[in-house]
Amino acid sequence: MKKELVSCLISFTLLSSLSTPLLAKAQENTEDIKGSLVIAGGGIGTSNHEIYEKFLSLAGGKEKAKVGIIPAASTTLQSSKKFKEDLVKYGANSDSIKILPVSNHDFSDTQKDESTWKNQVNDKKLSRTIKGLTAVWFVGGDQTKIVDSLRQNNGSNSEALKAIWDIYRKGAVIGGTSAGAAIMSDVMITGGDSLGALKDSLENKENKHVSKNQRSQKEYEPLSIQKGLGFFQHGIIDQHMDERARLGRLAVAAYTSERDKEKNFAYGVDEDTAMVVNNKDQKIEVVGRSGVAVLDMSKAELVSKQKARSGLENIKVSYLSPGDKINYHLKSFEFPKERVETKGFEYYSFNALPATGVFTPYGRLKAYLSYSLVDNESMKSAKSYVYDSKGSGYEIAFQKDNDTNGYWRYTDGQKDDYSIVNVKMDITPKTFKFQPDRKTSLTYKKPTFSSSESPAYDSIKGNLLIAGGALGSSNSSVYNKFINLAGGKQAKIGIVPAASTKFDSSNQFKSDLIKYGVKAENIEILPISNHDFKGTSENESTWKTNMNSDKLAQKVKGLTGIWFVGGDQTLITGSLRNENGSDSKVLQAIWHTYKNGAVLGGTSAGAAIMSNTMLAGGDSYGALSYGFTNTYDDMNQQEGGPAYLEKGLGFFQYGLVDQHFDNKARLGRLIATAYEKGNKNQLSYGIDEDTAMVVNNKEKQIEVVGRGGITLVDLAKVQANDKFPSDYKNILISCITPGDKVNLTTKEIVINPAKTSTRKNEYYSEKVGPNTGLFSPHGVLRKFLAYDLVDNAQSKEIKSYAFNQNKGFELTFRKSAESNGYWAYTDGQKDDYSIVKVALDIKPIDVDIR
């Protein structure tokens, strides 16, 4: 939460040794505890019913729950009041929820002086109130304020803390988010990032107390720890794991602090996710929307690699997903029966690039390990890096071991959901040197693809809904928008299955439409394909002739909505165009319905076909390094290599469209394609997963709908080096989110009025290092630009790198005269940023790693 990100930078006990345990074990006896814990990683959305309902269930149920909220971590009462509102929304009795007077400081949004509450923690009235509760919740902010509010100056427990322990033992649930999660373990991490933890704890430097101002001048923050409240006695807890890339700091904290690390795991909880601890069963269940990283440090070793620099080896990394369970006593895992093992049945086979920055596909840890290593038969190991601007840093090597495995299933419709166990991780000190590439050895090929322009229609009455892929069945905003544009619940919708090799996605979309109110008899999966489908008795490859069926064309003309499912976009165009490239009768009928008011929609491949020039293969590094190819192998080419283009169906006439934009980091390939084949007076559009771009042809406007964002690429002022490929200056990048709009002809961006401008009102003022890979916070482009640049007063420019072996690219994002950021809370108290006109320069470089 933006207003809760209080930097915990003063008065900490710092690590000073790699071998001496600094913190004594908590005095509390944790045996026979009947209560439970709900430990959330931060950023809980109000819509995250799994966590709220689990917490209320453990508190005795919605009607019986009596909840005390401890606001001490925050600087305002806003988050406490919001959590109370959320509990009431989920059915709790408002009169049974109290914000407890526990704080060591004043709150900025009240008339009272709450710093006097510090003297009330031994008040018998407060203790009696707590003893009548069935649940206690700690909000986020600064975890040290919680501990200081509940402990005496001599370190002993206050009467209020004793009362919390008393109800916990008897069966109450204790929960907390962010800082409220950090206090749960006995060893409480209070500050630091992955690079800072590695550099200051593994390079044998003496840690010193430094001021907040001094630390804000550094690119990284050293690890600091303190004694927590110890409700969870079976390992260290860290939070904001995925968004702030804290795996490195958790590994160092566990290695240096955990006296019995052979006995316990260490846990890193993602945002919008919770680990629910059942003390009776000695199990943890993962609940929410992301995952929990689990580190096994029992065989970890400190290894000297360079003078005064050391690394860590033989760490085992697991990453669990909602529904998974951990037996923390036996150090074992349990998975739902519907999960399928990947070992020996890997789905992917592509050469994954190292994770180096914001151009890396699957740039967050769990996704990268899933697609690039564990479910990829071509990969035995994968690497990432972290370093400062001087090039001092580490190589992180992930390797499949004998006990490495993955577990896969669909979730929320047809989203991939992975669990990963026992990936070996080694962290080795390295130095990095980047120099301009003066004479590249790479062979860059310009595209030979030539696409005649589709005829322009000024009077199209229909609209488009272009989804970036991985559309969740629960994404009501996208489904309802499509249905409304198709005429409401009386809509007549045809589903084009051609992109897929199975009917699963078509059947799922039909099921979702029915769930949202469309009549089943008004939805038909159209017999459009040029290939056979798996799992059916019919040979659907015979459907190829249907593209010129008068009967099918007539049926299409009666539809009010047409949806293209995901898969391989070349299969869609191959199913709707004649061999000479002309439009089939069915494609002509689709155009007819579109011009006369129907909505056309599609996800993933069904989005790629929307523009006239269709991006069908390649990744950012491949497109910038090698340019374009005329050959297409199959869908694996979508995971990497040079860009491959074909003629799309041209329904969207205002620029290029790319999809899976955030998860597959396709900014580089969109820039290369837009420069070579696009109209520089138009924007190019990269659509995130679980997000849609809604095109209103009448208004000539797009709107963002869903859960992610759209990246806008403007090459109107670009400067390129014609003698050296992929050497660009002054690319303008904007990132917009739900509620934002863009005029397709003027390129004017209209930001949701609920958002506040960050310009000259930046919340952060910190020096930041380059974005380097899986150990870099804010690995998704929009969040990297938001937190590290547009909402950071110290930053005028920030860098990221993309490289493979000794060749790569330096990306410099700069504040331009037109740059601005816009911020608001969404879904409770989640940060939501829009970014306007950040300048990007791309420079080819030589890379030397030693």
Side-chain angles (χ1 to χ4, degrees), residues 167-187:
I167 63 171
Y168 177 42
R169 290 184 185 284
K170 292 177 179 177
V173 58
I174 310 297
T177 184
S178 188
I183 55 98
M184 294 289 182
S185 52
D186 193 44
V187 174

Side-chain angles (χ1 to χ4, degrees), residues 339-385:
R339 287 199 184 276
V340 178
E341 290 189 37
T342 63
K343 191 171 186 177
F345 304 95
E346 291 84 358
Y347 181 78
Y348 294 95
S349 181
F350 67 93
N351 184 26
L353 294 173
T356 57
V358 294
F359 271 13
T360 301
Y362 316 113
R364 298 268 31 98
L365 182 67
K366 186 171 76 164
Y368 183 74
L369 293 182
S370 298
Y371 294 102
S372 298
L373 182 64
V374 175
D375 200 17
N376 189 338
E377 66 177 357
S378 296
M379 300 292 289
K380 303 298 182 187
S381 63
K383 293 179 179 178
S384 185
Y385 306 92

Side-chain angles (χ1 to χ4, degrees), residues 3-19:
K3 303 306 179 188
E4 297 299 326
L5 297 180
V6 180
S7 188
C8 308
L9 296 174
I10 56 175
S11 301
F12 295 144
T13 303
L14 300 179
L15 291 172
S16 60
S17 169
L18 291 175
S19 58

Side-chain angles (χ1 to χ4, degrees), residues 201-408:
S201 295
L202 297 187
E203 294 186 10
N204 298 326
K205 293 181 178 179
E206 182 182 356
N207 287 292
K208 298 179 180 179
H209 293 278
V210 293
S211 70
K212 177 178 178 179
N213 183 60
Q214 286 174 308
R215 289 193 187 176
S216 69
Q217 303 304 312
K218 298 181 72 174
E219 296 175 358
Y220 50 85
E221 182 187 345
L223 173 69
S224 54
I225 63 173
Q226 191 173 313
K227 186 176 179 180
L229 299 185
F231 298 121
F232 181 70
Q233 284 282 304
H234 308 284
I236 298 176
I237 303 290
D238 207 348
Q239 13 77 47
H240 297 283
M241 179 58 52
D242 55 346
E243 177 58 37
R244 301 187 199 175
R246 285 173 167 172
L247 190 73
R249 96 167 184 179
L250 179 59
V252 173
Y255 184 84
T256 57
S257 307
E258 189 57 47
R259 181 174 58 188
D260 53 352
K261 60 178 179 288
E262 292 185 8
K263 178 181 177 183
N264 294 325
F265 286 141
Y267 304 87
V269 190
D270 288 350
E271 294 187 354
D272 221 3
T273 308
M275 51 183 276
V276 178
V277 181
N278 185 316
N279 287 296
K280 182 179 178 181
D281 294 342
Q282 297 185 323
K283 289 184 179 180
I284 297 166
E285 181 182 6
V286 182
V287 175
R289 291 177 173 160
S290 188
V292 174
V294 182
L295 291 183
D296 184 348
M297 306 295 295
S298 59
K299 296 181 180 178
E301 298 176 325
L302 185 72
V303 181
S304 296
K305 295 291 184 179
Q306 297 181 5
K307 185 177 180 181
R309 299 187 71 195
S310 299
L312 283 173
E313 294 186 349
N314 295 322
I315 301 166
K316 283 294 182 74
V317 179
S318 299
Y319 226 116
L320 275 64
S321 294
D324 300 342
K325 293 183 179 180
I326 307 162
N327 187 316
Y328 56 77
H329 180 63
L330 298 177
K331 295 181 75 174
S332 62
F333 305 118
E334 298 176 14
F335 303 100
K337 60 182 180 181
E338 60 267 27
R339 287 199 184 276
V340 178
E341 290 189 37
T342 63
K343 191 171 186 177
F345 304 95
E346 291 84 358
Y347 181 78
Y348 294 95
S349 181
F350 67 93
N351 184 26
L353 294 173
T356 57
V358 294
F359 271 13
T360 301
Y362 316 113
R364 298 268 31 98
L365 182 67
K366 186 171 76 164
Y368 183 74
L369 293 182
S370 298
Y371 294 102
S372 298
L373 182 64
V374 175
D375 200 17
N376 189 338
E377 66 177 357
S378 296
M379 300 292 289
K380 303 298 182 187
S381 63
K383 293 179 179 178
S384 185
Y385 306 92
V386 63
Y387 43 84
D388 60 23
S389 59
K390 295 181 180 179
S392 175
Y394 296 85
E395 174 187 270
I396 302 98
F398 300 97
Q399 185 175 333
K400 288 178 180 174
D401 219 335
N402 292 333
D403 56 351
T404 302
N405 207 342
Y407 298 85
W408 169 90

Side-chain angles (χ1 to χ4, degrees), residues 1-6 69-85 99-115 117 137-142 145-146 149 177 179 763 823 825 828-829:
M1 296 179 290
K2 180 186 175 85
K3 303 306 179 188
E4 297 299 326
L5 297 180
V6 180
I69 301 171
I70 294 183
S74 181
T75 57
T76 71
L77 284 179
Q78 181 180 358
S79 52
S80 298
K81 292 177 180 177
K82 186 67 180 68
F83 188 70
K84 179 175 180 176
E85 289 176 11
I99 298 175
L100 301 177
V102 177
S103 176
N104 66 350
H105 61 281
D106 189 24
F107 292 100
S108 61
D109 57 347
T110 68
Q111 297 297 318
K112 297 180 181 179
D113 180 5
E114 290 84 6
S115 64
W117 287 357
W137 183 267
F138 295 88
V139 301
D142 181 343
K145 292 179 179 177
I146 300 175
S149 298
T177 184
Y763 182 74
W823 170 88
Y825 279 140
Q829 289 193 307

Side-chain angles (χ1 to χ4, degrees), residues 475-541:
N475 195 330
S476 58
S477 58
V478 172
Y479 278 97
N480 286 330
K481 191 71 172 182
F482 180 72
I483 292 168
N484 289 337
L485 290 172
K489 294 180 180 179
Q490 302 301 316
K492 295 181 179 180
I493 296 172
I495 300 171
V496 178
S500 184
T501 58
K502 299 185 294 184
F503 280 111
D504 291 4
S505 51
S506 298
N507 289 329
Q508 179 68 54
F509 189 72
K510 180 176 180 178
S511 175
D512 291 339
L513 291 176
I514 294 169
K515 182 180 79 171
Y516 285 101
V518 181
K519 294 179 180 179
E521 59 267 27
N522 287 354
I523 308 167
E524 182 175 351
I525 298 174
L526 302 174
I528 298 173
S529 176
N530 64 354
H531 60 281
D532 192 23
F533 287 84
K534 297 176 183 177
T536 67
S537 57
E538 185 177 356
N539 181 4
E540 289 83 9
S541 64

